[in-house]
Amino acid sequence: MKKILVLAAMVFYALAVNKTSNAGLIFSENFGSLSNNATITTSNTDFTYVRSGTGGSVVALNPSNFGSGSSLNLGGSSGGSLTGVGVQTGLGSNRLIDFSLDLRAINGTTGTLVMLMGSGNTFTTNNTFANNDLFFGLQITSGALQYRVSNAWSNVTGGTITQDIGYNLRVVANGTANSVSYGISDLVGASRMDIYLDGVLIGNDLSFTNLQDASGFRIYQVNSSRRFEIDNISISNSVSSVPEPSALLLVGSIIGTGLLRRRRA
């Protein structure tokens, strides 16, 4: 029985790695079951900002490529016109953020998808971003994932986004004065961020632009007609590890099997 309990504990911890709880959740959006090509608005989502730039549109895609229901089909803007969604303000004065979403480049090979958190005019006007408004900034341009640091964009090694392939992108950004532990063995330093693509750490303890509190966010497309599918947006102001229900069921199954074998012995 002792060996069974040890094995169960090992499975429990293994399955808990990089699983985050809903503690501290400050925003989420999975687009429900909106009909295909339905216009995304601030009424049928939790966004407080939606804009379609020149040539662009913000509509639902149903079925989603990331599970049941709908997703966001964003883009189409020509030149520097902005087509985007977000929350302008009201998420709190956050200095620790766990941000994740599912994304897929739908068409085209050029163009830019920008993902930002921070506060200021960047999040309350129709302008593209100003560096001084940012907590952190990411972008995908011509298939390369980049992060904002020292007023410039820098490539994330291993951050290649291939057209028509779905990805999960996660950012743990720590703008506090202390290191933060999360998961089982993960650690993000003060004024540093970790970036994951499909659960793989591709950016470890990266310096980032953390001038402003993260009270709002924006996701937008510019510079070509390229479109992006986005789903399952989640933003938390804390990070912690919890086992998923599947982990608990597996542990229970292991213990139960061990007890049954003991009774039969």
Side-chain angles (χ1 to χ4, degrees):
M1 182 62 183
K2 183 177 180 180
K3 291 182 178 179
I4 294 169
L5 291 176
V6 170
L7 177 60
M10 292 173 64
V11 172
F12 183 92
Y13 282 108
L15 293 177
V17 173
N18 286 335
K19 304 299 182 183
T20 57
S21 73
N22 286 330
L25 185 68
I26 56 177
F27 180 87
S28 66
E29 182 62 65
N30 65 7
F31 304 98
S33 56
L34 296 172
S35 59
N36 192 45
N37 288 323
T39 300
I40 298 291
T41 69
T42 57
S43 297
N44 59 18
T45 65
D46 286 332
F47 298 127
T48 65
Y49 175 87
V50 176
R51 181 178 190 265
S52 296
T54 304
S57 64
V58 186
V59 296
L61 180 64
N62 191 334
S64 169
N65 285 281
F66 299 103
S68 61
S70 309
S71 57
L72 169 63
N73 183 343
L74 175 73
S77 284
S78 57
S81 188
L82 180 156
T83 292
V85 297
V87 170
Q88 295 170 304
T89 187
L91 296 181
S93 299
N94 302 294
R95 304 295 293 170
L96 177 65
I97 288 292
D98 191 344
F99 172 96
S100 69
L101 53 74
D102 295 324
L103 63 89
R104 182 175 70 98
I106 297 175
N107 70 295
T109 57
T110 61
T112 303
L113 180 73
V114 183
M115 296 158 282
L116 313 168
M117 290 206 69
S119 58
N121 289 337
T122 292
F123 304 92
T124 58
T125 68
N126 291 328
N127 299 326
T128 54
F129 76 92
N131 201 68
N132 287 345
D133 293 336
L134 299 187
F135 177 60
F136 73 77
L138 301 175
Q139 71 172 13
I140 298 169
T141 182
S142 299
L145 177 63
Q146 301 178 325
Y147 67 102
R148 191 75 176 175
V149 60
S150 300
N151 300 322
W153 293 105
S154 181
N155 288 335
V156 181
T157 302
T160 299
I161 304 299
T162 302
Q163 182 176 319
D164 295 324
I165 294 180
Y167 299 90
N168 175 261
L169 175 66
R170 179 189 178 194
V171 181
V172 179
N174 177 21
T176 73
N178 301 299
S179 297
V180 174
S181 297
Y182 64 101
I184 295 299
S185 59
D186 300 300
L187 180 73
V188 60
S191 299
R192 302 281 176 168
M193 68 178 175
D194 290 346
I195 300 177
Y196 294 83
L197 195 63
D198 288 339
V200 177
L201 180 63
I202 61 172
N204 183 30
D205 252 12
L206 301 176
S207 298
F208 73 107
T209 301
N210 61 327
L211 303 176
Q212 296 294 326
D213 289 339
S215 64
F217 80 93
R218 180 171 291 179
I219 301 170
Y220 66 84
Q221 175 270 339
V222 290
N223 296 335
S224 82
S225 61
R226 189 172 201 181
R227 305 191 67 87
F228 294 85
E229 179 183 6
I230 296 169
D231 204 354
N232 302 315
I233 303 169
S234 175
I235 305 174
S236 298
N237 60 7
S238 64
V239 287
S240 60
S241 173
V242 296
E244 290 187 340
S246 59
L248 297 176
L249 288 174
L250 182 56
V251 171
S253 175
I254 292 171
I255 294 175
T257 300
L259 291 175
L260 181 60
R261 286 177 177 171
R262 286 198 63 180
R263 291 191 186 105
R264 287 179 177 174

